Amino acid sequence: MEDHSLPAPDTSLSLTEYVLDLAIGQEFPDVETCRRRLKNIALVQHFDLRIVKSDRSRFIAKCSKEGCPWRVHVAKCPGVPTFTVRTLHGEHTCEGVLNLHHQQASVGWVARSVEARVRDNPRYKPKEILQDIRDQHGVAVSYMQAWRGKERSMAALHGTFEEGYRLLPAYCEQIRKTNPGSIASVFAIGQENCFHRLFISYRASIYGFIHACRPLLELDRAHLKGKYLGSLLCAAAVDADDALFPLAIAIVDVESDENWMWFMSELRKLLGVSTDNMPRLTILSERQRGVVEAVETHFPSAFHGFCLRYVSENFRDTFKNAKLVNIFWNAVYALTAVEFDSKIAEMAEISQDVIPWFQHFPPQLWAVAYFEGVRYGHFTLGVTELLYNWALECHELPIVQMMEHIRHQLSSWYNDRRDMGMRWASILVPSAEKRVLEAMADARCYQVLRANEVEFEIVSTERTNIVDIQTRVCSCRRWHIYGLPCAHAAAALMSCGHNVHLFAEPWFTVASYRESYSQMINPIPDKSLWKEPGEGTEGGSANVDITIRPPKTRRPPGRPKKKVLRVENFKRPKRVVQCGRCHMLGHSQKKCTLPS
């Protein structure tokens, strides 16, 4: 393996320093270091180097221009491994290299030059490399030289893609050893033991979800664009303060119905859904065919709903009508069936085509008024953006380094959130506290009529609602849907002296938040301490006796197609203002130009 101790481009020596650094008596630890130093000098001084002799005892080089006297002779010192400069003619009479291309700018030189930058930024692009080399060294390299140089540098820093697959059994063993109770298994396929599937879930995540997170899971995938492609699958929960809580991560050779079925099977095993401790789950996804079948097979009692972003984008792209989209969102968040049906009737008046659309996307799978599961205010997939970022950050890393990047991020999140949770002194987490305080402020304008010990009639200018504080139900349905007391419930509770905060679901308490992050994700030892294939160990779906090879799926040649995932796609569309006088979009009644 090549020595990568030479300075990076931004710390390379100047021309004067190179000249002063080479003198008679100058010593080098070995001949390879001498060769590299002379190549750098040739690059800085813009002359071509011709090697006359290079063996174990001497290194002789001269300027490639005929008649130029520049010449150096380096010889091995007797009894020691070092080399010293014996003869040096340091003056040039030639004009040197007159263009930006240079023979010494090899792929190996590019790799050594960019190593520091690649270590800090694995997404350092070849076009950035060739531009930086041109700016800093005055040397032009081709795109392929820059690309291969980066590949070689990445391999020196992180290992090759092939080595990553080979180390997977040992890596899974280390996860199970350092994080007891975690699940880490790798599966190969075929006679050649090609990589097929990898599943990882840390005990800290399993414990936090089962003991403290609301029974809500998001499912999604991201396609990897590394050398061997593949897909990254993830199941994530939501903590008490509405932050994403990744539960299980898998990498598969290809996204397929079979692999989704396997992933959900592994998820069911780790959750132990047959026990009484696990409440009925609500699962959100884009409801691809393979995901729907897998959920129905392994979580038959779960409520499986659509991601609202997926449904709304389909509606928007189908009808391309801003007014319809605006009414659609009002229908989505309608709390009762009566409100929802009135919005559907409004849409049908504008376009009868909406009726067939609702047959393809049944409201029971996404509308708040009809969906039977409890989403606790989560309607879109936050895991989509997380997976996209992981795929973007890690697609150039070997598979073991990719999983280590994810583990480091999870560990950092757990530590930061654990510290943050210990600083909170309230009953509820800040996001829930804010919503409860808003409900309490709104409750002050309601009239409260008490029917009995637990039932109340809440009268407002709009309507009358019935609240039962024992079953924690309000006729507006907001308390049940969001898990926090609504304004009507707050009015009833305050009227009889109860603390409103104590009537929120336990998933929103600071105690639950602290419990979610009470366990630690322990570090993994350096790979030099792992057992190599052939040493043998028990446990897991594949042991370290198996040498896993890369999958058959390789990235095709050429530039990959990019799918731009815009941040605004993760947000609810901006509300379209409609005039109450002329019914036109884009202005309010106050700014309407029509006479009243």
Side-chain angles (χ1 to χ4, degrees), residues 56-111:
R56 295 180 179 180
S57 61
R58 57 185 172 172
F59 180 80
I60 303 172
K62 66 175 186 176
C63 178
S64 64
K65 296 290 184 179
E66 198 66 37
C68 182
W70 192 95
R71 184 182 181 90
V72 64
H73 177 197
V74 184
K76 187 177 182 299
C77 299
V80 292
T82 58
F83 281 69
T84 184
V85 178
R86 297 287 179 84
T87 305
L88 174 64
H89 298 286
E91 298 295 328
H92 284 277
T93 59
C94 65
E95 69 278 12
V97 178
L98 299 179
N99 55 52
L100 296 177
H101 298 281
H102 204 291
Q103 289 184 355
Q104 308 306 324
S106 62
V107 171
W109 176 82
V110 172

Side-chain angles (χ1 to χ4, degrees), residues 214 216 238 282-284 304-308 363-368 371-380 480-482:
R214 63 197 86 170
L216 174 71
V238 182
T282 295
I283 295 176
L284 303 180
H304 188 188
F306 266 118
C307 163
L308 273 184
Q364 293 82 357
L365 300 177
W366 52 269
V368 173
F371 184 67
E372 295 182 8
V374 184
R375 297 181 182 230
Y376 300 99
H378 274 260
F379 302 101
T380 60
H480 167 71
I481 291 169
Y482 291 90

Side-chain angles (χ1 to χ4, degrees), residues 223-236:
H223 298 300
L224 301 174
K225 296 182 180 179
K227 184 176 181 180
Y228 291 99
L229 301 178
S231 290
L232 181 64
L233 313 182
C234 184

Side-chain angles (χ1 to χ4, degrees), residues 333 335 376-377 379 435 477-484 508:
Y333 290 105
L335 296 175
Y376 300 99
F379 302 101
R435 282 180 278 174
R477 300 185 71 242
R478 185 176 293 276
W479 195 356
H480 167 71
I481 291 169
Y482 291 90
L484 296 170
F508 298 99

Side-chain angles (χ1 to χ4, degrees), residues 155-230:
L157 290 168
H158 305 294
T160 63
F161 282 89
E162 292 74 17
E163 182 189 28
Y165 289 106
R166 182 173 59 83
L167 290 174
L168 274 178
Y171 179 66
C172 290
E173 183 200 21
Q174 291 299 319
I175 291 177
R176 296 190 297 269
K177 184 182 296 184
T178 57
N179 292 268
S182 300
I183 298 174
S185 52
V186 60
F187 300 84
I189 192 172
Q191 295 181 348
E192 299 179 3
N193 288 330
C194 293
F195 172 79
H196 189 32
R197 300 162 173 161
L198 171 70
F199 185 93
I200 293 177
S201 181
Y202 294 98
R203 179 186 179 275
S205 301
I206 300 171
Y207 178 91
F209 175 72
I210 292 177
H211 290 86
C213 289
R214 63 197 86 170
L216 174 71
L217 281 178
E218 299 180 4
L219 301 177
D220 207 355
R221 82 284 182 254
H223 298 300
L224 301 174
K225 296 182 180 179
K227 184 176 181 180
Y228 291 99
L229 301 178

